[in-house]
Amino acid sequence: VRIAVLGTGTVGRTLAARLAGLGHEAHVGTRDVEASLAGTQESWDGSGTFAQWHANNPDIALGAFAEASAGAEVVFNATAGEGSLDALGAAGDLDGVVIADVSNPLDNSQGFPPLLSVCNDDSLAERIQRAHPGAKVVKTLNTVTAAIMVRPADVGGGDHTMFVAGDDEDAKATVRSLLEAFGWRHVVDLGGIRGARAMEMYLPMWLQLMGARGTPMFNVKVVS
Ligand SMILES: NC(=O)c1ccc[n+]([C@@H]2O[C@H](COP(=O)([O-])OP(=O)(O)OC[C@H]3O[C@@H](n4cnc5c(N)ncnc54)[C@H](OP(=O)(O)O)[C@@H]3O)[C@@H](O)[C@H]2O)c1
């Protein structure tokens, strides 16, 4: 399946590499290919500069947002929350496309910990859905660190919970099958895209837990 991953950060790199490893045709999208390849900042995940990561993953195509998204059945939004609407706006016609939205609407203007730029009565995922009424937005994976997104078995033997929220049942089924391929065994459907509010508002809890545990390598499990 042709899948676009919009985002060159840790999340975009991690998702694209795993999807390619699973045999998908992965395309990574960025604002400016040359600028991204010229970037000298090394990622905290050990994958180096973007150019180094790209050289180590030669099978993954790289293009501007529209180029990467063209013909994709699924588009992962792995861009900074503050830029997500612009990134998807630049991605071309997304009618009929499944947008798997893994972003968080972080507002870093007040320092650490970040605030949420949208919450309570709206969410970034809903804003994306409103901006692209012909697309099918599914919120998922924003509640865990990048490494766990694609290899849940690396913590707690994979015995923990992922969430999905979205208005289109077929799109959720498509995303669920990708999650299962990553190794997710417990996926809780929170209903329509409005459920993304709760998933995004989990972020302050995630940050507290990271401080308490001293590592981002954790997740929660829903039991009853
Ligand atoms: N890091 C994690 O483990 C983690 C876990 C869960 C969720 N998330 C969420 O996943 C998303 C990606 O996180 P990340 O840490 O990989 O990287 P990030 O630094 O949050 O985002 C980098 C990407 O955002 C794009 N971007 C930034 N500003 C933009 C703008 N104004 N317009 C268009 N695009 C813009 C960049 O484009 P260029 O390529 O052009 O530079 C780059 O591709 C974020 O929303 C984050 O909150 C992260």
Side-chain angles (χ1 to χ4, degrees), residues 6-12 29-32 36 44 65 77-84 86-87 102-106 141-147 149:
L6 306 188
T8 54
T10 305
V11 177
T30 181
R31 280 171 290 191
D32 180 331
S36 293
W44 55 266
F65 290 134
N77 173 36
T79 60
E82 62 186 353
S84 291
D86 284 349
V102 312
S103 67
N104 278 307
L106 302 188
L141 293 176
N142 69 305
T143 53
V144 293
T145 197
M149 290 181 187

Side-chain angles (χ1 to χ4, degrees), residues 61-150:
L62 176 62
F65 290 134
E67 237 179 303
S69 304
E73 285 179 41
V74 179
V75 171
F76 277 87
N77 173 36
T79 60
E82 62 186 353
S84 291
L85 287 170
D86 284 349
L88 287 160
D93 181 7
L94 296 175
D95 279 7
V97 172
V98 175
I99 300 177
D101 175 33
V102 312
S103 67
N104 278 307
L106 302 188
D107 169 3
N108 291 299
S109 63
Q110 317 283 319
F112 191 87
L115 304 176
L116 297 175
S117 59
V118 52
C119 63
N120 290 331
D121 57 359
D122 201 3
S123 62
L124 181 53
E126 288 168 275
R127 289 186 175 179
I128 292 169
Q129 183 65 81
R130 287 199 299 274
H132 300 276
K136 305 161 195 171
V137 180
V138 179
K139 189 88 198 180
T140 195
L141 293 176
N142 69 305
T143 53
V144 293
T145 197
I148 300 178
M149 290 181 187
V150 301

Side-chain angles (χ1 to χ4, degrees), residues 1 87 105 212 222:
V1 175
V222 176

Side-chain angles (χ1 to χ4, degrees), residues 153-166:
D154 284 1
V155 290
D159 186 19
H160 46 88
T161 306
M162 182 40 62
F163 305 98
V164 290

Side-chain angles (χ1 to χ4, degrees), residues 9 60 69 85 109 111 123-124 144 182 186 197 203 209 220:
I60 300 176
S69 304
L85 287 170
S109 63
S123 62
L124 181 53
V144 293
F182 290 163
H186 305 296
R197 296 177 191 182
L203 194 79
L209 284 168
V220 295

